[in-house]
Amino acid sequence: MSKQEFFSIRGGIPLRGEVKVSGGKNAAVAVIPAALLANSPCTIENLPDISDVHVLIDMLEWLGAKVTFDGSTMTVDPTTVSRYNPPYELARKMRASYYLAPVLTYRFGRAEVPMPGGCDIGARPIDQTVKAWTALGADVNTQRGVLTVTGEPLHGADIHLDMPSVGATINAMLAAVFAEGATTIHNAAKEPHIVDLANFLGSMGAWVKGAGTDIIRIRGGRPLHGSTYAIIPDQIETGTLMIAAAATGGDVVITDAIPYHMESLSAKLLEMGVYVHDEDDRIHVRGEGLLRGINVKTQYYPGFPTDLQQPMVSLLSIAGGTSVVTENIYEARFRYVDELRRMGANIRIVDRVAIVDGTDRLMSAPVTATDLRAGAALIVAGLIAEGTTEIANAHFIRRGYEKIDEKLRHLGAQVEWYTREVPD
Ligand code: EPU
């Protein structure tokens, strides 16, 4: 027997009330490593209290940085960093561990970072990162499961990404700010966390222009100093809460959000017949009557985010008619559909397409989260379903959703975390 964490949900209760969004996971995991580029301490505010942030703290401390974290504000003193090789046991727990490679190369002329882990949602190659660093003059080796980067000094370069990869854009930016001279990243990712990282680097004294467009220009080699910076709200948590509100026929105001980041989702919810209204940093969502099925195609930002595909399919499973959802970013991001079927959803998968025939209701069942956003999809399904749904492997949810139990209870849901012994 071994202990496992579960999340249980008594479904069928419309969510009502106001809920505040936490700081963005994917911004946090880029900004925190970037703090190691400074020559003095940084203060990072509005961080989410999630397990990915705690894994990063463990890695920074292991490397020798002094870190404090009160659940929202972090201080990082990089001046005491003395190692360039974070351990496999920590690095494998998250995708973003490889953002440490460029910043450690800056400090030591060398980094040895275990190849990145993260959610199992399809092939996650790093060839574009390797290409970017190589263009900047680094020697990159990926043998024996370790990403070894050497090279000092790096120099500015023209980098052409084959696709607007978030990870490659971040890794190129983190290296280009200390590479001497001008770098241009063509076909850059445009996600909100790219802009957040650029703003943080700017606050440290870096010259970075164009983030949020296809072309990012960086003049590297300036000394970077510590700064105080607040992370943007989490786009995917905002979206998950919007979807949950609609799915339960609820009436929810999401606060401290950036509605502009949510436009691709808001447009789709409106198409389904959901009431969505933005005002400053608040988004009001009300699920009214029978919702219409729609078609969704995941795209790079500003298209519909792949990270919301999973919770969106849970919502579509109770919409009228047939919906067609095409996953263009990851080939294996439909694994959770088997679990939704156990709850009564009518979904067929053909290659990268989910064909969802709406049903009147879902029924609770024991289900298992296969990754973070699969966990989010099962939470949405559990909120809809009659009876009590128990999600196994629920630790995935802690990677990206701060205090999700408290937030949902505040909106009237009956949910709880618990651990219990399960047979091995
Ligand atoms: N790709 C390559 N080669 C590369 C890099 C990417 O072929 O060198 C391909 C990937 O296989 C994928 C596509 O390009 O098909 C996009 O990958 P990207 O590099 O943009 O993704 P990522 O940086 O690994 C980040 C988020 C993911 C999110 C994706 C897409 C972080 C830490 N992770 O991953 O977030 O799904 O962008 O928006 O920022 C999540 O939060 O649940 C999550 C998985």
Side-chain angles (χ1 to χ4, degrees), residues 52 57 91 125 157 181 215 233 267 271 296 319 325 352 369 378 397 405 413 417 422:
D52 271 16
I57 293 173
I215 296 183
E271 205 180 317
V296 176
V325 178
R352 285 176 165 227
L378 295 174
I397 297 165
D405 55 334
W417 286 107
V422 292

Side-chain angles (χ1 to χ4, degrees), residues 232-247:
I232 51 165
D234 195 303
Q235 179 202 17
I236 307 303
E237 187 203 3
T238 307
T240 305
L241 291 167
M242 291 169 71
I243 290 169

Side-chain angles (χ1 to χ4, degrees), residues 100-175:
L100 288 168
V103 302
L104 292 170
T105 305
Y106 163 69
R107 297 200 84 87
F108 299 102
R110 180 179 188 88
E112 291 174 15
V113 178
M115 292 290 277
C119 284
D120 185 10
I121 49 183
R124 301 184 78 177
I126 64 162
D127 54 296
Q128 300 302 303
T129 285
V130 173
K131 182 167 83 172
W133 289 338
T134 306
L136 294 167
D139 283 325
V140 186
N141 187 314
T142 56
Q143 280 168 357
R144 296 177 186 269
V146 176
L147 184 56
T148 304
V149 187
T150 51
E152 204 185 14
L154 302 189
H155 53 75
D158 256 343
I159 297 168
H160 292 265
L161 298 179
D162 293 355
M163 78 288 292
S165 154
V166 168
T169 303
I170 288 173
N171 275 323
M173 291 167 74
L174 291 174

Side-chain angles (χ1 to χ4, degrees), residues 25-26 95 123-125 127-128 165-167 307 329-330 373:
K25 168 179 91 81
N26 290 344
R95 179 73 184 162
R124 301 184 78 177
D127 54 296
Q128 300 302 303
S165 154
V166 168
D307 294 347
I329 310 295
Y330 292 112
R373 308 302 171 189

Side-chain angles (χ1 to χ4, degrees), residues 246-307:
T248 58
D251 190 347
V252 173
V253 176
I254 299 159
T255 69
D256 294 59
I258 300 184
Y260 178 66
H261 293 165
M262 305 314 306
E263 284 184 355
S264 60
L265 173 64
S266 297
K268 285 293 163 191
L269 292 177
L270 286 166
E271 205 180 317
M272 293 180 73
V274 178
Y275 171 89
V276 182
H277 181 75
D278 304 339
E279 209 177 284
D280 299 328
D281 63 353
R282 297 157 68 85
I283 306 174
H284 186 174
V285 180
R286 200 165 55 224
E288 296 174 315
L290 179 65
L291 301 177
R292 288 184 289 278
I294 54 160
N295 298 340
V296 176
K297 292 187 169 83
T298 65
Q299 301 284 354
Y300 300 107
Y301 188 84
F304 191 94
T306 171
D307 294 347

